Amino acid sequence: MRKINIALLGCGVVGSGTYNILKDKRKEFKTIYGIDIAVTKILVKNIAKDRKGIDKNLLTTDFNSILNDQSIQIVVEVMGSIDLAREYTLKAINAKKNVVSANKDLIALSFAEILAAAKNNNVVFAYEASVAGAIPIIGVINRSLVGKTFNKVLGILNGTTNYILTKMTRDGLTYKEALQEATELGYAEIDPTSDVMGLDSARKIAILSSIAFKREVTFNDVHVEGITKITAEDIDFAKLFGYTIKLLAIGEETEGKIIARVHPTLVSNTHPLANVNDSYNSIYLNAESGDTMLYGKGAGDLPTGSAVVGDIVDACRLLEAPIDSKNYSTCYRDVELGELNDINSKMFLKINTKHEVGTLAKITSKFEKNNINIESITQTLLSEDDVVLCILTEKCSKLSIEKALESIEKFDVVKSVISTMMVL
Amino acid sequence: MRKINIALLGCGVVGSGTYNILKDKRKEFKTIYGIDIAVTKILVKNIAKDRKGIDKNLLTTDFNSILNDQSIQIVVEVMGSIDLAREYTLKAINAKKNVVSANKDLIALSFAEILAAAKNNNVVFAYEASVAGAIPIIGVINRSLVGKTFNKVLGILNGTTNYILTKMTRDGLTYKEALQEATELGYAEIDPTSDVMGLDSARKIAILSSIAFKREVTFNDVHVEGITKITAEDIDFAKLFGYTIKLLAIGEETEGKIIARVHPTLVSNTHPLANVNDSYNSIYLNAESGDTMLYGKGAGDLPTGSAVVGDIVDACRLLEAPIDSKNYSTCYRDVELGELNDINSKMFLKINTKHEVGTLAKITSKFEKNNINIESITQTLLSEDDVVLCILTEKCSKLSIEKALESIEKFDVVKSVISTMMVL
């Protein structure tokens, strides 16, 4: 029987989830795979802290005692943070240890660097737990669907914002009310910035784009817009046209460029992503050879812990795999990154105007001039001299929309362009 | 660079899809994984037949020329049928060749036998393409979610029947009309028996149950009921209670027994499976540590071909893996199989009665006697002496329902029990 010793870096929610699953499954893994997986060291900050169910003898505060332990073949990084995690990850890899990571913040910044180090040292670097705990999207893209060429990866990747938008859509809450409810229920953190500004989704789509298109896309390359400006009115107008507003994270390869972005998007009610509600996550993969969607909760100790365990078992299997075959993805392709203005999309526009004869003709003439076809339009009189125009365009370039709006904003009758949103 | 030679057994839809993807991806696989995968032989019945894009020099009608070719490490069985495929699969494995199979009919009958042979010969047996082409459910259960313990696997596993039920539900077609439309559109085969009787779904849930619960469940162990008796009226009554009728394939471990079954089921409209429409497939995995759902088209040359290719690349990686680690699943557990009557479920009943005072009291007394609570009931007067009672029970044992119905059917006022359906 092969014995595989493992060290955990960190013993928080994911770390203890991983520890417990490995303990529960130890006998099963012996029986099925002939491997005996044992956690032999756990790096923590404070040994004295009470940790229910964790053997105290495994705890250490000294990373070097793990690094120099030749019996440890796999290091599991579940400590979070960026700088220290990066240092430990690279040190472990350079010491020829296989690394399993749940750290999306780090991977969304240093993916290519870490993969290159893993290749140089002929070790596995695995990261299923870094995106969407209960949804095994990394393995699906990297392994099962390796025969596919992806056009687009679409995701609802953040449970907090999806919960807020669901509450606004279903129960008519305002953004503030929905956020408050999410906070009270523990779905939103005390400081919800990273979620509501779209940063958490951006990190995840950076990783998913990198593996789907095999070209590094970092957090800094993602165009991001959060949900803080969405109003109940936006949601109602979207409904009127048959759409639901979702915070989508989208990676796509189009006309030889890769673009990754996160923004509120009008999703047609007939698209399966429109029905992904509450704190659920979902990822929709679009490929010539058929679409696939995955759905589940995003986070939690056991979902994320089981993603880590899947990677550990896989790493055990790959220990003897030939060089180059130990890692599923490389960022080897030389493809340019595109700008938001390169995107072709249907657009949803909300414009506030005065109530004057000829307003609509003036505005629509600017769309015509920029070759933008209008699919639907509604005009709502809010008060005597206050009109809201909602316009759904056919597919057009974002650049042409920007140009049209620049001219439209100059009209005296136009009070303001309230919002513009892309449509899936 | 490692060179891996492959033989295809069969060159139909899936075989040629596999061939084309391998050709397209050859350079990519060299770059990323350092493996050069080449198809060097293809077994066909008739060499003269025109096959666009396939190199004629690869074709052979002689299986032994593949079996005795020491340079071939992986055999891909995409020929279908049972007996001959079984013979070739076992011969290839016994000749120490790794086998990738798309043959659900065979695996649903001989899974444990084939896995044992693979283990004895220290070769890979992979079968992602055997269930739901575009949905990588085998890899998700066997690899990514290896850290989970499943309670239940629920699937809409047959596109034809889902298309028919969708048409009946959405457009009010009768079963006959919907089947005719499915046939005209090529969704249903000329002889639709295997689909509409639930046999195709039964083969798939046999395989999924075997890997989820690690105990062989064969096609013969699955309790099967098709959709041929579903009426427009059933669908309307289900709607009234907030349910959609779907042909579900269900594998579950409950009270120490494994039960696999396929039957029309009332799915609550709030469950994500209720929204899986047209010819789409979906699989819902229920585990203590979080639920996951996958969604996509079931079949087709490229979806199924890409599932085969995923298995081929994985097999290349595992060639040097230690014994026991080459295969992801074994049917090692010693668990009993259960009967339908062991199931606890909400039930939907449709009973035709005369229009007489006291009928409802008589019938409901029998439910009470068998400890069955009623959740909802509707009574519809069809004609002067013709009443339809629809009853939705709370969770109860199927056995208690059978007992209650046995007594109810004896009442003079009861014309017939029209249908009973389980509720998800």
Side-chain angles (χ1 to χ4, degrees):
Chain A
M1 174 94 48
R2 287 199 309 158
K3 182 148 193 247
I4 310 282
N5 289 345
I6 289 190
L8 304 181
L9 310 184
C11 195
V13 173
V14 180
S16 54
T18 303
Y19 180 86
N20 286 322
I21 295 172
L22 284 175
K23 210 164 62 177
D24 287 352
K25 292 265 177 179
R26 189 162 175 180
K27 206 176 140 195
E28 180 180 327
F29 293 160
K30 281 190 199 176
T31 310
I32 306 186
Y33 312 118
I35 40 176
D36 182 17
I37 302 174
V39 175
T40 57
K41 286 205 170 87
I42 304 177
L43 183 71
V44 294
K45 277 190 206 143
N46 175 6
I47 290 193
K49 192 175 157 186
D50 198 36
R51 292 180 178 84
K52 215 184 122 194
I54 309 269
D55 180 356
K56 280 224 165 207
N57 295 317
L58 304 179
L59 304 181
T60 174
T61 55
D62 176 19
F63 175 65
N64 286 321
S65 77
I66 291 171
L67 199 64
N68 299 325
D69 184 339
Q70 297 300 321
S71 76
I72 290 172
Q73 291 187 273
I74 301 175
V75 170
V76 179
E77 193 267 281
V78 284
M79 57 192 260
S81 90
I82 297 183
D83 292 340
L84 196 61
R86 184 173 165 278
E87 184 194 324
Y88 287 177
T89 297
L90 290 172
K91 275 188 179 164
I93 289 173
N94 288 323
K96 313 280 179 207
K97 295 193 189 304
N98 304 276
V99 173
V100 173
S101 172
N103 192 332
K104 69 169 172 297
D105 297 31
L106 171 63
I107 301 172
L109 287 176
S110 304
F111 196 29
E113 181 189 16
I114 297 171
L115 285 177
K119 189 173 177 180
N120 285 339
N121 288 283
N122 193 27
V123 296
V124 174
F125 178 69
Y127 43 91
E128 181 66 77
S130 66
V131 180
I135 307 178
I137 185 65
I138 304 284
V140 163
I141 294 178
N142 271 345
R143 295 184 304 210
S144 305
L145 301 186
V146 73
K148 296 205 180 225
T149 302
F150 297 102
N151 302 321
K152 222 168 180 172
V153 177
L154 303 160
I156 294 174
L157 298 177
N158 181 274
T160 310
T161 46
N162 201 39
Y163 182 83
I164 292 172
L165 290 174
T166 301
K167 279 282 151 184
M168 292 175 73
T169 304
R170 213 159 45 190
D171 304 340
L173 299 194
T174 64
Y175 168 73
K176 255 192 164 171
E177 290 164 347
L179 173 59
Q180 198 187 330
E181 197 179 306
T183 312
E184 282 164 16
L185 290 169
Y187 287 142
E189 296 181 48
I190 305 299
D191 176 5
T193 312
S194 164
D195 292 328
V196 299
M197 299 301 284
L199 310 182
D200 176 73
S201 298
R203 292 190 177 94
K204 293 167 181 165
I205 197 67
I207 299 172
L208 295 183
S209 301
S210 299
I211 63 172
F213 306 116
K214 315 222 175 296
R215 191 266 194 227
E216 186 178 38
V217 177
T218 71
F219 172 58
N220 301 315
D221 299 324
V222 182
H223 308 273
V224 191
E225 188 190 325
I227 63 162
T228 54
K229 288 180 200 156
I230 303 286
T231 64
E233 198 189 68
D234 290 329
I235 287 175
D236 286 343
F237 279 117
K239 270 187 197 167
L240 209 68
F241 288 122
Y243 291 86
T244 303
I245 298 181
K246 292 287 182 192
L247 182 68
L248 286 198
I250 304 172
E252 66 189 300
E253 181 161 0
T254 178
E255 292 171 23
K257 289 180 182 177
I258 291 165
I259 307 172
R261 51 192 165 111
V262 173
H263 51 68
T265 311
L266 270 73
V267 180
S268 162
N269 289 338
T270 59
H271 194 287
L273 285 175
N275 291 313
V276 175
N277 288 317
D278 301 313
S279 64
Y280 279 90
N281 283 199
S282 184
I283 296 137
Y284 193 94
L285 300 169
N286 170 246
E288 293 298 330
S289 53
D291 293 357
T292 309
M293 187 169 105
L294 292 93
Y295 170 97
K297 291 257 178 180
D301 58 339
L302 294 180
T304 312
S306 75
V308 170
V309 169
D311 273 352
I312 291 172
V313 173
D314 201 44
C316 292
R317 243 188 232 111
L318 291 171
L319 291 180
E320 271 131 278
I323 190 163
D324 284 342
S325 282
K326 291 201 177 187
N327 286 290
Y328 295 104
S329 202
T330 60
C331 299
Y332 78 96
R333 287 179 66 214
D334 185 20
V335 194
E336 236 181 293
L337 295 180
E339 291 300 317
L340 273 192
N341 279 345
D342 295 329
I343 288 172
N344 277 292
S345 170
K346 285 187 177 192
M347 296 288 301
F348 173 78
L349 310 167
K350 217 170 69 180
I351 302 171
N352 190 199
T353 71
K354 296 179 189 165
H355 190 32
E356 268 178 32
V357 174
T359 303
L360 201 55
K362 272 185 188 161
I363 289 175
T364 52
S365 73
K366 293 298 175 190
F367 283 103
E368 198 191 337
K369 209 180 154 192
N370 287 283
N371 286 315
I372 301 163
N373 290 323
I374 291 172
E375 186 179 296
S376 319
I377 197 161
T378 67
Q379 175 171 333
T380 312
L381 195 62
L382 293 186
S383 66
E384 203 171 316
D385 194 33
D386 211 11
V387 171
V388 172
L389 282 181
C390 283
I391 298 167
L392 187 68
T393 74
E394 291 184 356
K395 230 176 183 179
C396 59
S397 81
K398 187 148 190 308
L399 187 63
S400 63
I401 288 283
E402 298 299 327
K403 281 187 188 164
L405 289 179
E406 209 183 303
S407 320
I408 288 167
E409 277 178 324
K410 286 180 189 149
F411 289 133
D412 274 350
V413 291
V414 172
K415 294 184 176 179
S416 69
V417 175
I418 308 172
S419 60
T420 66
M421 245 183 274
M422 279 194 260
V423 178
L424 183 63
Chain B
M1 172 96 47
R2 287 201 307 161
K3 185 151 191 247
I4 309 283
N5 289 345
I6 290 189
L8 303 181
L9 310 184
C11 196
V13 172
V14 180
S16 54
T18 302
Y19 181 86
N20 286 321
I21 296 171
L22 284 175
K23 209 163 65 177
D24 288 351
K25 291 267 177 180
R26 189 162 176 181
K27 208 176 137 195
E28 181 182 325
F29 293 160
K30 282 189 197 176
T31 309
I32 307 187
Y33 312 117
I35 42 177
D36 182 17
I37 302 174
V39 175
T40 58
K41 286 205 170 89
I42 304 176
L43 183 72
V44 294
K45 275 189 207 147
N46 175 7
I47 290 193
K49 191 173 156 187
D50 198 35
R51 291 179 178 85
K52 218 184 120 196
I54 308 269
D55 180 357
K56 281 223 164 208
N57 295 317
L58 304 179
L59 304 180
T60 176
T61 55
D62 176 20
F63 174 66
N64 285 321
S65 77
I66 291 171
L67 199 64
N68 300 325
D69 184 338
Q70 296 302 319
S71 76
I72 290 172
Q73 291 187 273
I74 300 175
V75 169
V76 178
E77 194 267 280
V78 283
M79 55 192 262
S81 90
I82 296 183
D83 293 340
L84 196 60
R86 184 172 166 280
E87 182 193 328
Y88 287 177
T89 297
L90 290 172
K91 276 189 176 163
I93 289 173
N94 288 324
K96 312 280 178 206
K97 297 193 189 300
N98 304 277
V99 173
V100 172
S101 172
N103 192 331
K104 69 170 172 295
D105 298 30
L106 171 62
I107 301 172
L109 287 176
S110 305
F111 197 29
E113 179 189 20
I114 297 171
L115 284 177
K119 189 174 178 179
N120 285 339
N121 288 283
N122 193 25
V123 296
V124 174
F125 177 68
Y127 42 91
E128 181 66 74
S130 66
V131 180
I135 305 178
I137 184 65
I138 304 284
V140 162
I141 294 178
N142 271 345
R143 294 183 305 208
S144 305
L145 301 186
V146 73
K148 295 201 182 230
T149 302
F150 297 102
N151 301 321
K152 219 168 182 174
V153 177
L154 303 160
I156 293 175
L157 297 178
N158 181 273
T160 308
T161 45
N162 202 38
Y163 182 85
I164 292 171
L165 290 174
T166 301
K167 279 281 151 186
M168 292 175 72
T169 304
R170 212 160 45 190
D171 303 340
L173 300 192
T174 63
Y175 169 73
K176 253 192 166 170
E177 290 164 347
L179 173 60
Q180 196 185 332
E181 196 179 305
T183 311
E184 281 164 16
L185 289 169
Y187 287 140
E189 294 181 49
I190 304 301
D191 175 5
T193 312
S194 164
D195 292 326
V196 300
M197 299 302 285
L199 310 182
D200 177 73
S201 298
R203 292 188 176 97
K204 293 169 182 165
I205 198 66
I207 299 172
L208 295 183
S209 301
S210 299
I211 63 172
F213 306 116
K214 315 224 172 295
R215 191 266 194 226
E216 187 178 38
V217 177
T218 72
F219 172 58
N220 300 317
D221 299 323
V222 183
H223 307 272
V224 192
E225 186 190 327
I227 63 162
T228 53
K229 288 180 201 155
I230 303 287
T231 64
E233 199 189 67
D234 290 329
I235 288 176
D236 286 343
F237 279 118
K239 270 188 197 168
L240 209 67
F241 288 121
Y243 290 85
T244 303
I245 296 181
K246 294 287 181 193
L247 182 68
L248 286 198
I250 304 173
E252 68 190 297
E253 180 161 359
T254 180
E255 292 170 25
K257 290 180 180 176
I258 291 165
I259 308 171
R261 51 193 165 110
V262 172
H263 51 67
T265 312
L266 269 71
V267 181
S268 162
N269 289 337
T270 59
H271 195 286
L273 285 175
N275 291 313
V276 175
N277 289 318
D278 301 312
S279 63
Y280 278 90
N281 283 201
S282 185
I283 296 136
Y284 193 94
L285 301 169
N286 170 244
E288 294 297 331
S289 53
D291 293 0
T292 308
M293 186 170 107
L294 291 92
Y295 170 95
K297 290 256 177 180
D301 57 340
L302 294 180
T304 313
S306 75
V308 170
V309 169
D311 272 351
I312 292 173
V313 173
D314 201 44
C316 292
R317 243 189 232 110
L318 291 171
L319 291 180
E320 270 128 282
I323 191 162
D324 282 342
S325 283
K326 290 200 178 188
N327 286 290
Y328 295 104
S329 202
T330 60
C331 299
Y332 79 97
R333 287 179 67 214
D334 185 21
V335 194
E336 235 183 291
L337 295 179
E339 290 301 316
L340 273 191
N341 279 345
D342 295 329
I343 287 174
N344 277 293
S345 169
K346 285 186 174 192
M347 296 289 299
F348 173 78
L349 311 166
K350 218 169 68 182
I351 303 172
N352 191 197
T353 70
K354 296 179 190 166
H355 189 35
E356 268 177 33
V357 174
T359 303
L360 200 55
K362 273 186 188 159
I363 290 175
T364 51
S365 73
K366 293 298 174 191
F367 283 102
E368 199 191 334
K369 206 178 157 195
N370 287 283
N371 285 316
I372 300 164
N373 289 323
I374 291 173
E375 186 179 297
S376 320
I377 197 161
T378 66
Q379 175 170 333
T380 311
L381 195 61
L382 293 185
S383 67
E384 204 170 316
D385 194 34
D386 211 10
V387 171
V388 172
L389 280 182
C390 285
I391 299 168
L392 187 67
T393 74
E394 290 183 0
K395 230 173 182 182
C396 59
S397 81
K398 188 152 187 308
L399 187 64
S400 63
I401 288 283
E402 298 298 330
K403 281 187 186 162
L405 288 179
E406 210 184 300
S407 319
I408 288 168
E409 276 176 325
K410 286 181 187 150
F411 288 132
D412 273 350
V413 290
V414 172
K415 295 184 177 180
S416 69
V417 174
I418 308 173
S419 59
T420 65
M421 245 183 272
M422 277 193 261
V423 178
L424 182 62

